[in-house]
Amino acid sequence: MTSTIKPDNNNPGNTAIEQLKAALIEKGSSLNTDEFSNIINELEHEHLDLIQKTHDLHERTKELSLFYHIFNLVVQENISEKEFIQSLTDKIPEAWQYPEFTCARIIYEKEEFTTSNFKQTQWVLSADIVVKNKKAGSVAVYYLEKMPENAEGLFLKEERELIKSIAIKTGHYFERKIMREELVKSEENLRITLNSIGDAVITADTFGAITNMNPVAENLTGWNSDEAKNKPVEEVFVIENAITGERVQNPVKLVLKTGHVVGLANHTKLISKNGNEYQISDSGAPITDEAGKTTGVVLVFRDVTEEYKRQQELKDNESKFRTIVEGAPEPIFIQSEMKFAYLNPAACRLFGIESADVLIGTPVMKRFHPDYHEKIKNRIKLLCQENQSVHELFRQKFIRMDGSEVWVETAGEPIVYNGKNSALVFVRDISHRVKAEQVLKESKENYRLLVENQTDLVVKIDVEGRFLYASPSYCNLFEKTEEELLGKKFIPLVHEDDRDATTEAMKALYQPPHAAYMEQRAMTAKGWVWLAWNDTAVVDEQGNIKEIIGVGRDISDQKKAEKLLRESETRFRLLAESAPFGIVIADKNQKTFFSNKRFTEIFGYTLDDIPSVEDWWPLAYPDEIQRNTIRENWNNLIEKAQKEQSEIPPLEYYVRCKNGEFKYIEFRSSAFKELNFVIFTDITERKLAEKAVYESESRFSIAFEASPAPLVISEIETGQFIDVNNRWVEMLGYSREEQIGKTSKEVGIWRNPSERDRVIQQVLKNGFFKDEYIEFNTKTGGTILALWSAETIVLSGKKLMLSMIHDITERIKSEEELRKLKDSLQEEVEKKTKELIERVEILERFHEATIEREFRIKELKEEIKRLKSEKN
């Protein structure tokens, strides 16, 4: 601050000048009066200038002292907001011209801080505190009484600049404080979300050493995060092929090598530290910096043991069904809406066709002789409309594909097939014309594929059930923005039949361990969807719930699988009980535990009569020599079938029934795991039997079009599309007509066509590939990031490729956005820290310069003092 110091005639310095003048005259100085006056004037001017500079330096020192005080406050870690403002307020008056007549006030966020002597007067100087471009308060300095004015007014120009600087620095302090709080909150939310997410997460550095694990990963691996830290991933994350038992290469190494997202094969199990085994699905992704350099790997996996078991149970039941129906010697077909929906191999032979596809979807009445149409319509009405069984055998003629006629007897059972009322029709050829039919050509294999790497849904709600946070995946599922959800209750989105159960399940959150699990239906953008939720309550020190974190997953496919499992078991029971041939099932110890009613009708024996296979032989073959011969042959075939998990070729024997009658019976048997299925067909009237079909393909697999995953069948070498499902069409936007018959390169789906050529070499060499990272072009010009898996199949004698795509675009985007946000915050903190350090360095340099000037002033004072002493 600069003020002008005027000469004072009463100043001792003036007296010293007069004394100096007298001394020079006394000593006979030769200086004339004008020269002496000039010297005196120069000395007076230098003296006044020295006084002024001394005064200015003192004022600068007060300013620096205030700035230094602000700096000390800023660098203190534990100082509160109120302590910062009050300390600054108390220090401000010291930097003004008249500190003893000065008071100060700071207002921030409507709260007032003042000096102890504060009094609001008319002599005020103030400036606004601006935080994030908004006025948040003000800084004001008051004189307690009117002070002398100078050319610039009551306050100096430097004082006006100073109060602006105080306001700006105060605003910067609060901006940095807010940024730090937001960063801490963001990191805390990230930590809570990571610890609450249903998937296990492990992060590793570029050397493959573990840096972090969430609680789910700790539970599955058996290692806690502290003991696993810095250990190699392969030591903690031990994985094997569930079928072969061989160690599987750790995905972390593949990610570090390729820099791409990778996943595990379907049959992968995790061996925990305590020896527990878990079937898992897994994916690994690189962690990169702004320059794209890989700085680590994140490994995400989850326990799919129960899902794996359900899939295996479903396959087992389907296999049982195939064993009975596909291996049945009698023709069986399903009629739905007056059309063929399914035919077993025997039915195909009966109609003279090589594949069921020839008749599936065609009217059944065309295959029945017109003389019987009226009676057949009445029987179909009983089966499909009135849901009644038709056990009465009906004699009629079928028309084969070549136009010839064949006499048959039919019976039927009502069933539900593909959600429609249908009829299961059993047929017996009574024309005694046996013709060998070709074994069924290759047909579609069972290609049920599951899509599980779905992004979890994460929400945060208060104790009233109102949304506090909703993840992008949740918003996308419900096609709502987060703003539309915040403050709204979640319960209206839940199916009304599931609301009471949801409320009841959430009561568990109020008791340790403050966790709850529930399944519910929710109305989403794509309709009602089954969701499974794992909820965790965040409690305060008193145990009161502050908020609830929910992590959800779409389990609609799982629910459908459970329904299919129940339907499969029902179909098996219905088919077994309704079959026109006898069935007996025995375990590995040859104990019988099931026989159908047709078995009793044929032989007269019940399950009580034959508790074991050994009990059957004396009843069926009273002659000991014949019994031993047949039993030895049969046991040898059973042993071979169990070892090879194969069928026993058809055998024909005369068998004694309970009433003493002998019947000519065709025996068929199949081994499935540790069970033996034996089928008995009374062929007394026919004499001739048809050869059994040893191997057949599934007709009851999940249809190609019903798959939840994008699927495409194409030629391997050319890439020409043979068929695509609806999910594929939805993903890329190209219609079926735009793709079928064209190559993938002609359609233009590849972002990088050479990538297809590369992976095709793997198919040609190995017959398959798994989870290749690929980029697809959509019809609208967008890009989809996906994992591509494929394997070879045979259709109609031609070798083709079945591909499945897993869209990971949204997951990659979310990970990238999270990384960018973190990097941005880190960069901003570093930038602000650097600015503060630079300002401190400027202050230090200015302080050093000030001290140097003080030393110079001191030397001038001592020089004047010396001159005075010489004069005296």
Side-chain angles (χ1 to χ4, degrees):
M1 303 172 196
T2 304
S3 59
T4 304
I5 306 300
K6 297 181 179 180
D8 185 358
N9 293 329
N10 295 323
N11 192 304
N14 293 329
T15 302
I17 292 172
E18 293 296 331
Q19 293 174 352
L20 176 60
K21 180 178 179 181
L24 289 173
I25 294 173
E26 183 179 341
K27 291 182 179 182
S29 173
S30 61
L31 294 174
N32 57 40
T33 302
D34 292 336
E35 290 176 337
F36 184 77
S37 296
N38 289 337
I39 292 174
I40 294 302
N41 288 336
E42 289 179 6
L43 287 174
E44 288 177 344
H45 177 75
E46 292 293 333
H47 178 65
L48 291 174
D49 183 58
L50 180 59
I51 294 173
Q52 182 66 50
K53 289 180 178 178
T54 302
H55 177 270
D56 292 346
L57 183 60
H58 180 66
E59 296 301 321
R60 296 287 82 71
T61 301
K62 292 195 292 182
E63 290 180 20
L64 286 174
S65 178
L66 176 60
F67 286 139
Y68 187 70
H69 183 72
I70 294 174
F71 169 74
N72 284 333
L73 293 176
V74 169
V75 297
Q76 291 184 38
E77 292 288 340
N78 300 322
I79 189 171
S80 68
E81 186 178 282
K82 291 183 178 181
E83 289 173 338
F84 173 85
I85 300 175
Q86 188 60 59
S87 178
L88 175 59
T89 304
D90 293 338
K91 190 70 175 177
I92 287 175
E94 297 179 10
W96 257 250
Q97 290 185 86
Y98 309 104
E100 64 275 16
F101 298 103
T102 304
C103 64
R105 177 181 67 187
I106 294 179
I107 299 175
Y108 182 70
E109 297 292 352
K110 298 182 180 179
E111 189 170 359
E112 187 176 278
F113 301 84
T114 63
T115 56
S116 59
N117 65 337
F118 178 74
K119 178 176 136 180
Q120 191 166 345
T121 67
Q122 59 182 315
W123 305 293
V124 60
L125 181 64
S126 66
D128 291 339
I129 298 175
V130 177
V131 178
K132 290 190 172 181
N133 300 321
K134 293 182 180 180
K135 180 180 178 182
S138 63
V139 180
V141 172
Y142 294 87
Y143 280 141
L144 297 175
E145 58 185 61
K146 187 175 182 180
M147 294 292 105
E149 294 189 16
N150 53 50
E152 300 171 355
L154 188 63
F155 294 97
L156 300 175
K157 174 183 177 183
E158 288 80 2
E159 290 175 330
R160 293 188 181 90
E161 294 298 325
L162 178 59
I163 199 165
K164 290 179 183 178
S165 296
I166 294 172
I168 291 172
K169 293 182 183 299
T170 304
H172 288 169
Y173 167 78
F174 287 115
E175 286 180 347
R176 288 191 296 272
K177 192 171 187 298
I178 291 171
M179 288 175 59
R180 285 196 297 269
E181 291 172 350
E182 290 176 347
L183 180 60
V184 170
K185 183 178 180 181
S186 174
E187 291 177 345
E188 177 64 14
N189 287 338
L190 182 61
R191 184 189 65 79
I192 292 174
T193 300
L194 185 62
N195 288 342
S196 301
I197 197 168
D199 286 349
V201 180
I202 297 176
T203 58
D205 58 23
T206 53
F207 298 100
I210 293 176
T211 58
N212 193 19
M213 297 171 64
N214 74 343
V216 180
E218 292 180 330
N219 182 54
L220 291 181
T221 62
W223 294 73
N224 65 51
S225 184
D226 292 335
E227 67 178 346
K229 195 169 186 178
N230 296 323
K231 290 187 180 295
V233 172
E234 54 268 23
E235 182 177 342
V236 176
F237 187 67
V238 181
I239 50 179
E240 296 180 354
N241 185 293
I243 298 176
T244 64
E246 296 179 354
R247 287 291 291 267
V248 177
Q249 184 176 6
N250 203 292
V252 170
K253 291 184 177 180
L254 292 176
V255 173
L256 291 173
K257 181 179 180 180
T258 65
H260 294 156
V261 176
V262 300
L264 291 177
N266 292 334
H267 304 289
T268 302
K269 66 179 180 180
L270 170 68
I271 312 299
S272 71
K273 186 180 181 181
N274 54 21
N276 291 336
E277 298 182 357
Y278 303 95
Q279 196 78 21
I280 64 169
S281 65
D282 166 272
S283 66
I287 302 172
T288 58
D289 57 20
E290 288 185 350
K293 181 181 178 182
T294 299
T295 60
V297 177
V298 58
L299 190 64
V300 182
F301 57 97
R302 63 188 183 89
D303 181 6
V304 295
T305 304
E306 291 303 318
E307 297 174 25
Y308 187 78
K309 288 180 180 178
R310 280 193 290 270
Q311 294 172 24
Q312 290 302 116
E313 289 174 2
L314 182 59
K315 290 179 180 178
D316 291 349
N317 279 322
E318 291 292 345
S319 182
K320 293 176 185 177
F321 182 83
R322 290 195 301 271
T323 300
I324 295 173
V325 178
E326 296 284 336
E330 302 286 7
I332 299 173
F333 68 85
I334 295 175
Q335 173 272 128
S336 182
E337 295 182 335
M338 300 297 289
K339 296 179 180 179
F340 287 104
Y342 166 76
L343 299 93
N344 74 342
C348 292
R349 290 192 292 272
L350 178 68
F351 284 107
I353 59 176
E354 294 182 355
S355 171
D357 296 335
V358 175
L359 287 180
I360 288 177
T362 65
V364 294
M365 301 303 289
K366 287 187 176 181
R367 298 296 107 208
F368 305 148
H369 196 282
D371 293 347
Y372 306 96
H373 279 192
E374 195 63 33
K375 184 69 178 287
I376 292 172
K377 289 179 181 178
N378 291 333
R379 290 168 69 89
I380 290 176
K381 181 179 179 182
L382 289 173
L383 288 166
C384 297
Q385 297 182 19
E386 300 180 14
N387 200 33
Q388 294 184 19
S389 299
V390 179
H391 292 157
E392 179 186 0
L393 293 175
F394 175 50
R395 185 186 180 98
Q396 61 175 312
K397 286 192 290 187
F398 280 0
I399 301 174
R400 306 181 69 173
M401 291 300 291
D402 61 2
S404 62
E405 298 176 356
V406 55
W407 282 98
V408 297
E409 288 180 340
T410 61
E413 286 288 339
I415 65 170
V416 175
Y417 186 73
N418 288 339
K420 300 174 183 178
N421 288 338
S422 305
L424 182 66
V425 182
F426 302 96
V427 183
R428 174 173 294 162
D429 182 359
I430 59 174
S431 65
H432 309 300
R433 294 176 297 182
V434 179
K435 293 184 179 180
E437 297 290 337
Q438 295 181 357
V439 178
L440 290 176
K441 288 188 175 181
E442 299 148 340
S443 181
K444 294 181 180 179
E445 295 183 13
N446 178 4
Y447 40 68
R448 184 197 314 246
L449 300 172
L450 301 176
V451 178
E452 292 295 343
N453 289 323
Q454 186 175 354
T455 305
D456 282 344
L457 312 175
V458 181
V459 298
K460 182 163 64 176
I461 60 173
D462 61 19
V463 293
E464 300 297 328
R466 290 185 291 264
F467 285 102
L468 300 175
Y469 168 77
S471 67
S473 57
Y474 187 93
C475 295
N476 291 338
L477 180 63
F478 288 86
E479 283 193 356
K480 293 180 180 293
T481 64
E482 188 174 10
E483 290 71 19
E484 290 177 312
L485 293 171
L486 295 182
K488 304 289 180 60
K489 290 190 176 183
F490 77 90
I491 203 70
L493 299 175
V494 178
H495 195 288
E496 61 180 356
D497 293 345
D498 300 332
R499 292 175 184 174
D500 290 342
T502 297
T503 303
E504 184 65 25
M506 292 184 70
K507 291 180 180 179
L509 295 170
Y510 291 85
Q511 301 293 332
H514 304 289
Y517 175 81
M518 66 213 67
E519 295 180 358
Q520 59 186 222
R521 287 163 289 180
M523 175 51 72
T524 68
K526 57 183 179 181
W528 290 107
V529 171
W530 274 101
L531 300 176
W533 289 96
N534 285 290
D535 289 356
T536 304
V538 180
V539 298
D540 57 22
E541 295 178 354
Q542 289 74 39
N544 300 317
I545 294 180
K546 297 169 58 181
E547 55 193 29
I548 299 169
I549 305 295
V551 180
R553 176 175 289 129
D554 185 345
I555 59 169
S556 300
D557 290 341
Q558 175 183 326
K559 288 293 184 180
K560 291 178 182 177
E562 292 172 353
K563 182 180 179 182
L564 286 174
L565 179 60
R566 292 191 296 270
E567 291 177 352
S568 177
E569 291 174 346
T570 302
R571 288 200 302 270
F572 169 73
R573 176 65 62 177
L574 175 61
L575 286 169
E577 290 296 343
S578 303
F581 42 82
I583 299 174
V584 171
I585 303 177
D587 62 20
K588 65 178 180 178
N589 297 318
Q590 298 294 294
K591 300 295 183 181
T592 57
F593 61 89
F594 176 82
S595 66
N596 69 345
K597 63 181 181 180
R598 180 59 181 153
F599 176 83
T600 302
E601 290 173 358
I602 295 174
F603 299 105
Y605 299 118
T606 66
L607 201 60
D608 294 333
D609 297 320
I610 51 168
S612 70
V613 175
E614 286 301 313
D615 295 310
W616 157 260
W617 294 114
L619 297 175
Y621 304 101
D623 182 81
E624 183 177 0
I625 296 177
Q626 182 190 26
R627 179 170 66 243
N628 291 339
T629 301
I630 295 175
R631 180 167 53 188
E632 181 180 359
N633 182 39
W634 180 262
N635 287 339
N636 290 337
L637 292 173
I638 286 290
E639 183 179 352
K640 180 180 179 182
Q642 287 180 334
K643 183 177 180 181
E644 299 177 357
Q645 286 292 289
S646 62
E647 296 182 355
I648 292 178
L651 300 174
E652 297 176 0
Y653 296 110
Y654 277 105
V655 178
R656 181 182 181 278
C657 300
K658 192 171 185 178
N659 61 5
E661 177 186 359
F662 279 87
K663 292 184 179 180
Y664 200 86
I665 304 297
E666 179 189 79
F667 291 77
R668 288 175 179 268
S669 178
S670 294
F672 178 73
K673 293 191 174 178
E674 296 181 344
L675 301 179
N676 291 320
F677 294 79
V678 184
I679 299 173
F680 304 86
T681 303
D682 183 355
I683 59 172
T684 306
E685 296 181 0
R686 263 191 334 187
K687 298 296 182 182
L688 298 175
E690 300 170 342
K691 291 183 179 180
V693 178
Y694 291 101
E695 297 180 358
S696 61
E697 302 169 345
S698 169
R699 285 293 184 275
F700 292 91
S701 62
I702 292 180
F704 178 77
E705 289 298 337
S707 173
L711 299 176
V712 59
I713 299 174
S714 61
E715 292 185 352
I716 299 175
E717 291 82 2
T718 66
Q720 183 179 22
F721 289 116
I722 304 302
D723 198 3
V724 298
N725 71 349
N726 290 334
R727 185 66 188 90
W728 174 275
V729 173
E730 293 170 2
M731 181 180 74
L732 295 182
Y734 294 100
S735 67
R736 295 171 64 89
E737 292 72 17
E738 291 175 308
Q739 299 182 75
I740 302 302
K742 297 181 181 179
T743 68
S744 56
K745 291 184 179 180
E746 289 174 341
V747 177
I749 67 170
W750 305 105
R751 177 67 65 178
N752 185 357
S754 62
E755 286 296 306
R756 180 190 184 276
D757 299 335
R758 178 180 62 81
V759 296
I760 289 303
Q761 295 304 314
Q762 297 185 43
V763 175
L764 295 174
K765 180 180 179 181
N766 304 320
F768 71 95
F769 62 83
K770 297 287 185 180
D771 294 333
E772 286 288 341
Y773 179 83
I774 204 77
E775 294 182 353
F776 290 104
N777 296 325
T778 66
K779 185 176 181 180
T780 58
T783 299
I784 291 177
L785 307 177
L787 294 179
W788 179 21
S789 299
E791 60 182 88
T792 57
I793 61 173
V794 177
L795 289 178
S796 300
K798 187 174 183 180
K799 192 173 184 181
L800 302 172
M801 182 173 71
L802 171 66
S803 298
M804 182 184 74
I805 308 301
H806 176 51
D807 187 350
I808 59 170
T809 306
E810 293 303 321
R811 188 180 77 188
I812 296 298
K813 288 182 179 178
S814 298
E815 292 173 352
E816 180 64 17
E817 289 173 0
L818 182 61
R819 183 190 64 76
K820 288 182 178 179
L821 175 59
K822 185 173 181 181
D823 292 345
S824 176
L825 290 174
Q826 180 65 29
E827 181 181 352
E828 186 65 21
V829 170
E830 292 176 353
K831 179 180 178 182
K832 295 299 182 181
T833 302
K834 182 178 179 181
E835 290 177 357
L836 183 59
I837 292 173
E838 290 175 350
R839 291 179 181 179
V840 170
E841 290 175 349
I842 293 172
L843 288 175
E844 290 177 346
R845 289 195 298 270
F846 188 79
H847 183 63
E848 291 174 357
T850 302
I851 293 174
E852 184 178 349
R853 292 183 63 185
E854 288 180 348
F855 279 123
R856 180 57 182 159
I857 292 171
K858 182 177 180 182
E859 290 175 354
L860 290 173
K861 288 181 178 180
E862 290 176 352
E863 181 65 19
I864 293 172
K865 184 176 180 181
R866 183 182 61 77
L867 291 173
K868 288 182 179 180
S869 62
E870 288 180 357
K871 173 193 168 197
N872 294 333

